Amino acid sequence: MDPFEVRMRFNSQLQHLNASVTSAQKAAVWAIKYREWDEDLHSCILENLERNSLNNRANIFYFFETLCDVASAANHIEFVRMMERDILRIVDLVAPEDGSGAANVKVVRKVLRNLAGKKYLQQQTVDELEECIKDRDNIGGVGGTASPEEAMRHSNGNVRVEKRQAEQRIEEDRERHKRLREGIWAVNEDEFDKTWVDAADLNQDDYRTAMEEEAERKQYAGLHRTELLSA
């Protein structure tokens, strides 16, 4: 397969990323299969972040964690190094400074912390990035309190596109929360003991992440109840 076709197929996979693990793993495996063109494939990721929708940019940012996992397992850490090299540009594309990506700020925080937890990024780098984006989810002067619809409305003025994208975002976030709950219930006794021990090392960032995720769960539970009542 020639480089052009490799890029075209990878671009298609990036454009169709969603909340499923399969879509991210498929794209990551493709990148590793054609690792000799890793710089080209990394540039594809950046190009898609520049031109695609807010939801797609969020899905691509989630994808970085899967790509780093697969690349590390394949002992091809160049993808990790390129992500680390361009992380500031990546964050600015996913959650721009002008507030147009307000709905993605929580995604950025969550993924950055996961990347730091797996040592793909240095904690100092993550702390600096979080400081950079701390006010980017401010809508109406109140940070972090907007619903997905409000954040999407802030991000673009097209009401029809906004509604469709907001609905898609809510559905994808529900799917991620569902997978998270399934993962929690699947924890065995040994893993529980380890988690209990690890909990002693929780810091302020861990508690803040937990509080944000709890707020999201309550928000989507409220939306779900509203949908049931209006059905």
Side-chain angles (χ1 to χ4, degrees), residues 46 49-50 54 57 61 86-102 104-105 108 112 128-129 131-134 136:
L46 298 180
L49 286 174
E50 289 174 347
L54 192 66
R57 282 180 272 163
F61 200 62
D86 294 330
I87 190 62
L88 178 57
R89 178 184 176 189
I90 291 166
V91 168
D92 281 341
L93 289 170
V94 178
E97 188 176 1
D98 62 7
S100 62
N104 282 347
V105 173
V108 170
L112 285 176
E128 292 172 353
L129 290 168
E131 181 66 22
C132 288
I133 65 172
K134 66 178 182 180
R136 296 189 186 184

Side-chain angles (χ1 to χ4, degrees), residues 164-224:
R164 184 172 67 250
Q165 290 187 2
E167 290 173 348
Q168 178 186 352
R169 180 60 166 271
I170 291 169
E171 187 60 35
E172 290 182 348
D173 284 348
R174 282 177 180 162
E175 178 63 25
R176 290 190 178 96
H177 285 305
K178 177 183 176 182
R179 293 208 317 267
L180 178 61
R181 289 196 299 271
E182 290 173 348
I184 291 172
W185 287 112
V187 172
N188 61 36
E189 186 174 351
D190 290 339
E191 290 173 328
F192 177 81
D193 291 339
K194 181 179 182 299
T195 302
W196 181 261
V197 172
D198 290 344
D201 297 325
L202 291 176
N203 56 34
Q204 187 175 0
D205 285 340
D206 296 318
Y207 286 115
R208 185 171 60 182
T209 300
M211 290 175 65
E212 289 176 355
E213 292 179 349
E214 176 63 17
E216 287 181 5
R217 283 193 291 271
K218 289 181 178 178
Q219 182 181 80
Y220 293 123
L223 288 169
H224 183 58

Side-chain angles (χ1 to χ4, degrees), residues 9 18 24 29 31 46 83 92 107 114 128 142 144 148 169 182:
R9 292 280 294 275
N18 52 45
V29 169
L46 298 180
M83 178 275 297
D92 281 341
V107 170
N114 289 347
E128 292 172 353
V142 181
R169 180 60 166 271
E182 290 173 348

